[in-house]
Amino acid sequence: MGKNTLTITDNRTGKTYEIPIAYGTYPTYGAYIKTADLRQIRVSDDDFGLMGYDPSFGNTASCRSAITFIDGERGILRYRGYPIEQLAERSTYLETAYLILYGELPTRQELDAWTAEVTHHTLIHESIKKFLDGFHHDAHPMGMLIGTVGALSTFYPEAKEIHDAATRRKQIVRLIAKTPTIAAFAYRHMRGLPYAYPDNDLSYTGNFLNMLFKTTELKYAPDPVLERALEVLFILHADHEQNCSSTAMRTIGSSHADPYSALAGAAGGLYGPLHGGANEQVLRMLQQIGSKDRVPAYIKRVKDGEVLLMGFGHRVYKNYDPRATIIKKIADQVFQVTGTNPLLDIALELERIALQEDYFITRRLYPNVDFYSGIIYQAMGFPVEMFPVLFAVPRTSGWMAQWEEMLTDPEQRISRPRQVYTGADVRDYVPMEQRGGARVA
Ligand code: CMC
């Protein structure tokens, strides 16, 4: 291989520039130039210099990160180097969260201490219960989660000490411990049920099921298959590098806001139907289609550009989403306990037809994580409104890891993109009486 540089000739001036090329872990997946190096390319002394224009960050790395690796061409997802398939098979959510946050799989002692720490922070302040009570009975639980997580910043003002490693760690533990409690309480509020307090004898997902579904029994016993299925779903959703919500987490965190405010913003990003809100929309779409024989008509509407096929497509994955493959497998195990979900047949038919159609093949659109997760959640008894919440709870560990990495990265400053201004040139203020008729629709 030749020199690790890029030579650029500016044909406006005839000048040539040599810019360094750098790499991440893999030379063939992560070679980059610093766009700041383009600024030296100018036509005159008062020229600001060349910028990169990349709406929606389609080809711009906003950070160097050691947390999650995705190769979208080959359908690879790894946390800290470990393949997602192995973690889904052998790990637990809390162990994976530790790995994502601290970079290594914990020893037995570390895992026990971590589990105990998280378990002992699951309770929320009684005032937060009152805060939740204030929501209307039909409030969407994701809105309740976002609002309540944001409100936590008022309970933990020391969280503002974002430069103190021990304080940061405390908030990380609190958030991983308390998001399931808030999520479950939001669900109980929605259902008009009394809140069920955490049970420290249970696993992270077992306790979550307890807080959601406990009724009059003295001790809730989670079904082990459902408890494990939720564990796997949580592992799959734990992190996904620089997606919309992690970018929101990093961007808000870069202004040195407290982590609760930043996480509320990240969860807001997740809520949208193009990101974590897609799982809810997949179910609504399947319900709207209603039966297998109506699938071709729906596919036609997608091809005509009237609607999106929710749960299909991804900015990065262009062959398959490895999370969707794992989810499809656990669906069978869940359905053995819950009975099958009649919407599954419609989903399978949608996938079968879509994968044969030119529209989807040429655009490289495949089922993503959200296509089958909702069908499982529904079979487990969750209402559709809870689906984005079930994405947000495990993503908390990823958001916190991204936040921690951003704050401790000396190359990171406040997030502040440039723009290409396309508006009016300077002009003088026009008095009201000289402005003529309406010019703005
Ligand atoms: N249904 C129909 N057409 C689609 C879809 C879809 N689901 N996704 C992309 N396309 C088309 C899009 O219209 C465009 O067509 P054309 O080239 O003719 O204009 C082409 O495919 C390229 O799509 P894009 O919108 O440029 O792709 P993107 O990378 O900007 O968007 C996406 C990625 C995930 C937002 C998009 O695929 C989408 O809206 N999917 C449906 C929502 C969804 O399932 N989201 C969950 C993503 S996975 C969970 C997560 O981690 O967030």
Side-chain angles (χ1 to χ4, degrees), residues 83-350:
I84 192 66
E85 293 78 7
Q86 291 182 23
L87 294 167
E89 178 78 31
R90 303 174 62 180
S91 187
T92 60
Y93 173 69
L94 277 187
E95 185 185 61
T96 297
Y98 184 100
L99 169 71
I100 286 174
L101 281 156
Y102 303 112
E104 296 296 337
L105 284 169
T107 60
R108 165 58 52 203
Q109 223 181 0
E110 285 165 341
L111 181 61
D112 288 348
W114 168 244
T115 305
E117 217 181 341
V118 171
T119 306
H120 287 95
H121 279 88
T122 47
L123 271 178
I124 53 175
H125 196 288
E126 287 293 293
S127 297
I128 297 175
K129 261 175 47 187
K130 289 192 205 132
F131 185 86
L132 281 162
D133 282 338
F135 284 103
H136 205 48
H137 69 92
D138 58 358
H140 195 290
M142 191 65 177
M144 289 160 78
L145 179 79
I146 293 168
T148 312
V149 164
L152 285 185
S153 74
T154 64
F155 289 82
Y156 306 112
E158 78 274 16
K160 287 185 174 49
E161 305 298 327
I162 52 111
H163 295 299
D164 182 66
T167 308
R168 284 201 306 273
R169 187 186 152 92
K170 186 144 201 192
Q171 315 319 315
I172 289 171
V173 170
R174 279 183 175 143
L175 272 159
I176 291 175
K178 291 180 201 308
T179 47
T181 313
I182 297 170
F185 281 21
Y187 166 77
R188 308 280 293 201
H189 177 78
M190 179 186 166
R191 284 277 195 247
L193 293 166
Y195 301 124
Y197 283 88
D199 180 342
N200 287 359
D201 295 340
L202 297 174
S203 72
Y204 189 81
T205 53
N207 172 51
F208 186 43
L209 289 167
N210 157 69
M211 293 187 292
L212 287 157
F213 298 129
K214 183 175 193 285
T215 51
T216 52
E217 65 273 48
L218 283 179
K219 184 117 184 127
Y220 179 84
D223 182 289
V225 175
L226 302 187
E227 184 181 359
R228 179 64 202 163
L230 203 56
E231 195 95 60
V232 176
L233 284 159
F234 276 15
I235 291 169
L236 299 181
H237 286 90
D239 191 55
H240 215 229
E241 48 117 312
Q242 308 315 315
N243 50 71
C244 174
S245 56
S246 307
T247 303
M249 184 80 204
R250 281 177 174 260
T251 302
I252 301 171
S254 77
S255 77
H256 295 173
D258 69 82
Y260 301 99
S261 304
L263 198 130
L270 188 77
Y271 192 7
L274 299 188
H275 190 9
N279 51 15
E280 178 178 351
Q281 299 311 322
V282 169
L283 245 285
R284 294 193 189 281
M285 173 186 78
L286 296 175
Q287 282 164 341
Q288 189 197 337
I289 295 172
S291 61
K292 255 170 81 171
D293 55 307
R294 293 172 63 183
V295 167
Y298 194 84
I299 295 276
K300 182 174 179 313
R301 290 183 65 207
V302 175
K303 292 197 305 189
D304 290 347
E306 283 176 43
V307 284
L308 286 173
L309 181 52
M310 298 311 288
F312 259 65
H314 200 275
R315 172 64 61 78
V316 183
Y317 294 123
K318 295 300 173 196
N319 276 319
Y320 66 95
D321 179 339
R323 300 169 300 174
T325 314
I326 299 170
I327 286 184
K328 232 174 142 177
K329 278 190 208 147
I330 43 173
D332 292 336
Q333 297 157 20
V334 170
F335 295 153
Q336 275 176 21
V337 176
T338 61
T340 190
N341 185 334
L343 295 177
L344 178 66
D345 286 344
I346 304 175
L348 288 168
E349 183 68 356
L350 263 180

